C-alpha cells in the first residue's frame, strides 16, 4: 500500500532548501508559493529521501475567487505519495508555472486544465486545447461557465456542507413537488385514513 507523506515533516526541509516556498501545510497537503513552484518541485523530485519522480495526477479546484491546483507527486521506488497545492489568485486570467521541464507527464495534464478550466501554464511548450475545438466559448469546468442572469446558476446548486444561497438542501428536509410534506424527522408523512 502506498504511504502518504506527512507535509508537516517535509515542510521544514523544503523551506530550508527553497526559502519562502511553503505557503502553508494543512489538510494533508503542502501548499507552495506559485513564484517558487519550479524550485520547490525540483527539490521534491531530486531529494533522494523523497524521490518524487512521478507526477501521478494534476487537477484544479475552482473556488470562484481563485483556482487551487493539486499535484499528486509519487515515488515509485519508495512507494509513497505527497499531495502538493498551489494557487492562481487571478480568477479571470489564472497563470502558474508549467511543470513540463520537470515532469514530461505534465504536458497533457496541463493542456487538459487549460482546455477545461482556462488555467495558463507559463513555459508550456504546446499549450492549446485538448478536447474542445479552437474558438470554443469558455472553459466548461469553471463554475462561471454557464453564468445565468440573476441568481440562477447552471448545474448543481451546491453540496450539503455549503451555506448560503448556493446550499443544496439536506435530503429529506425539502419535499419533492407533489409529495406529502416532510415530518420533523425527515421522512415524508403518510396519508391518514383508509388506502384504496
Amino acid at each position: 500500500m502506498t504511504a502518504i507523506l506527512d507535509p508537516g515533516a517535509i515542510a521544514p526541509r523544503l523551506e530550508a532548501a527553497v526559502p519562502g516556498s511553503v505557503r502553508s501545510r494543512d489538510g494533508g497537503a503542502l501548499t507552495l508559493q506559485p513564484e517558487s513552484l519550479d524550485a520547490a518541485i525540483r527539490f521534491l523530485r531530486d531529494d533522494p529521501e523523497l524521490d518524487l519522480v512521478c507526477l501521478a495526477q494534476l487537477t484544479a479546484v475552482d473556488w470562484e475567487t481563485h483556482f487551487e491546483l493539486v499535484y499528486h507527486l509519487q515515488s515509485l521506488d519508495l512507494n509513497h505519495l505527497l499531495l502538493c497545492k498551489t494557487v492562481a489568485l487571478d480568477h479571470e486570467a489564472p497563470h502558474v508555472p508549467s511543470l513540463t521541464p520537470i515532469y514530461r507527464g505534465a504536458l497533457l495534464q496541463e493542456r487538459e486544465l487549460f482546455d477545461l478550466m482556462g488555467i495558463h501554464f507559463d513555459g508550456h511548450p504546446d499549450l492549446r486545447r485538448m478536447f474542445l475545438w479552437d474558438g470554443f466559448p469558455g472553459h466548461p469546468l469553471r463554475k462561471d461557465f454557464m453564468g445565468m442572469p440573476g441568481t440562477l446558476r447552471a448545474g448543481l446548486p451546491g453540496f450539503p456542507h455549503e451555506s448560503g444561497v448556493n446550499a443544496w438542501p439536506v435530503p429529506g428536509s425539502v419535499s419533492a413537488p407533489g409529495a406529502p410534506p416532510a415530518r420533523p424527522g425527515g421522512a415524508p408523512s403518510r396519508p391518514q385514513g383508509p388506502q384504496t
Side-chain angles (χ1 to χ4, degrees), residues 75-124:
S75 171
L76 303 175
D77 291 339
L78 301 176
N79 197 24
H80 59 224
L81 182 116
L82 178 65
L83 190 67
C84 292
K85 298 179 183 181
T86 194
V87 293
L89 295 174
D90 184 357
H91 191 267
E92 296 306 311
H95 283 264
V96 293
S98 174
L99 293 187
T100 53
I102 303 168
Y103 297 113
R104 187 71 179 145
L107 184 84
L108 294 178
Q109 295 183 65
E110 290 178 353
R111 279 187 57 196
E112 179 182 11
L113 287 181
F114 168 72
D115 190 8
L116 301 176
M117 298 285 260
I119 299 170
H120 294 264
F121 292 90
D122 300 328
H124 191 284

Side-chain angles (χ1 to χ4, degrees), residues 111 114-115 127-138:
R111 279 187 57 196
F114 168 72
D115 190 8
L127 193 61
R128 58 188 165 98
R129 287 202 181 265
M130 184 172 176
F131 299 111
L132 302 168
W133 57 94
D134 288 335
F136 183 86

Side-chain angles (χ1 to χ4, degrees), residues 62 136-155:
D62 181 355
F136 183 86
H139 305 279
L141 292 185
R142 290 178 71 138
K143 289 187 178 179
D144 61 0
F145 174 62
M146 292 186 62
M148 301 170 86
T151 59
L152 297 176
R153 298 182 55 149

Side-chain angles (χ1 to χ4, degrees), residues 175-196:
S175 298
R183 291 187 299 196
S189 59
R190 294 194 176 129
Q192 300 298 318
Q195 300 291 324
T196 57

Side-chain angles (χ1 to χ4, degrees), residues 41-83:
I41 296 293
R42 281 184 194 278
F43 171 79
L44 296 171
R45 181 196 66 182
D46 296 341
D47 184 286
E49 292 178 30
L50 298 174
D51 187 45
L52 297 168
V53 297
C54 177
L55 174 61
Q57 183 179 0
L58 168 59
T59 190
V61 179
D62 181 355
W63 289 103
E64 296 184 337
T65 58
H66 66 281
F67 287 94
E68 184 177 71
L69 285 87
V70 184
Y71 301 88
H72 296 244
L73 307 179
Q74 189 169 9
S75 171
L76 303 175
D77 291 339
L78 301 176
N79 197 24
H80 59 224
L81 182 116
L82 178 65
L83 190 67

Side-chain angles (χ1 to χ4, degrees), residues 5-8 24-32 70 82-85:
L5 294 176
D6 176 19
S24 67
R25 51 180 187 255
D26 55 336
L30 192 60
T31 303
L32 306 172
V70 184
L82 178 65
L83 190 67
C84 292
K85 298 179 183 181

